[in-house]
Amino acid sequence: EAGVAQSPRYKIIEKRQSVAFWCNPISGHATLYWYQQILGQGPKLLIQFQNNGVVDDSQLPKDRFSAERLKGVDSTLKIQPAKLEDSAVYLCASSPGQGKNSPLHFGNGTRLTVT
Amino acid sequence: GENVEQHPSTLSVQEGDSAVIKCTYSDSASNYFPWYKQELGKGPQLIIDIRSNVGEKKDQRIAVTLNKTAKHFSLHITETQPEDSAVYFCAASTGSARQLTFGSGTQLTVLP
């Protein structure tokens, strides 16, 4: 099966600019996650979707970050305006559902550099 | 919330030797413990996972043990090979939502 697709692979922007990341999960996977991975750290959950509804966005900095999953398939994550501390790899993951037999499958991420 | 600590941060072993990475978690309600391998420029890849009703699980050269009482779990890699070199992350989650809390990672280097 095709894996989780993310684009772009790399993005360099100046602080206060906006940026958007795109994710296409594995076909049929109902649950989609966005994680932020700062260099040298483990991934940190930003937001979880179940189909097109938000399950948990408690760790999403909502003053500058937004995410949507229209039609319950693809998802976009946006940052506006970006700060230097947003430099990180943004990982998208998907799983078949919320059950206990639903491991997460990650994409290769988008590396964001904010200058 | 959940807190996962991982040790060591770096580990070098000779090819053929064993490697052990340890993690502790804080939330006694956590019931799912996956391990991920992340190679440079790629996303984390699940290599093995264990649920709280099992004490040990093995898959070829990889094994994971879980001690619920002490709230720690470990990854064991035997007969290491150069291609095992990567960053390994442990994680924990509660319930069925699969909201993983990750450890800080271990850079494993297998020396030929």
Side-chain angles (χ1 to χ4, degrees):
Chain A
E1 64 180 4
V4 176
Q6 290 189 247
S7 67
R9 286 286 282 134
Y10 306 93
K11 191 73 176 179
I12 301 174
I13 61 172
E14 296 182 350
K15 59 183 179 183
R16 292 187 288 275
Q17 287 186 324
S18 63
V19 64
F21 313 126
W22 173 83
C23 172
N24 179 238
I26 293 173
S27 178
H29 279 197
T31 310
L32 184 147
Y33 310 78
W34 283 102
Y35 280 82
Q36 180 193 57
Q37 186 176 23
I38 293 173
L39 186 64
Q41 299 181 18
K44 186 186 82 170
L45 179 67
L46 292 175
I47 188 168
Q48 177 187 358
F49 291 94
Q50 177 70 15
N51 295 311
N52 61 350
V54 175
V55 173
D56 185 351
D57 63 357
S58 59
Q59 298 187 76
L60 187 73
K62 298 181 188 63
D63 58 334
R64 298 183 300 106
F65 286 65
S66 64
E68 60 182 9
R69 191 184 183 196
L70 299 176
K71 301 181 181 178
V73 182
D74 293 1
S75 177
T76 56
L77 176 69
K78 297 179 181 178
I79 307 175
Q80 181 180 12
K83 293 185 176 181
L84 295 176
E85 58 260 37
D86 298 332
S87 294
V89 175
Y90 291 84
L91 295 163
C92 179
S94 69
S95 69
Q98 291 198 100
K100 58 181 179 181
N101 294 317
S102 299
L104 269 63
H105 301 264
F106 284 86
N108 287 330
T110 295
R111 180 176 296 278
L112 173 66
T113 302
V114 182
T115 62
Chain B
E2 175 67 278
N3 182 50
V4 177
E5 295 191 357
Q6 182 172 346
H7 300 280
S9 57
T10 61
L11 179 61
S12 292
V13 299
Q14 289 294 136
E15 182 177 358
D17 288 350
S18 296
V20 180
I21 302 171
K22 299 181 179 181
C23 290
T24 60
Y25 60 98
S26 61
D27 190 343
S28 56
S30 288
N31 58 11
Y32 175 68
F33 307 92
W35 285 88
Y36 284 84
K37 175 183 181 182
Q38 187 172 29
E39 297 176 328
L40 197 61
K42 296 188 176 181
Q45 178 183 18
L46 179 70
I47 56 172
I48 195 167
D49 58 10
I50 191 168
R51 293 175 176 84
S52 58
N53 59 346
V54 175
E56 183 174 358
K57 183 177 179 181
K58 188 174 182 179
D59 182 5
Q60 299 183 344
R61 298 186 296 108
I62 296 174
V64 58
T65 59
L66 171 65
N67 184 326
K68 288 176 56 180
T69 303
K71 290 192 284 188
H72 67 70
F73 56 112
S74 301
L75 177 71
H76 304 252
I77 306 174
T78 59
E79 301 173 19
T80 54
Q81 302 166 3
E83 51 264 39
D84 294 330
S85 296
V87 179
Y88 291 80
F89 291 97
C90 62
S93 75
T94 60
S96 61
R98 287 291 177 266
Q99 293 168 7
L100 298 175
T101 299
F102 282 83
S104 54
T106 296
Q107 174 70 62
L108 173 64
T109 302
V110 180
L111 305 170

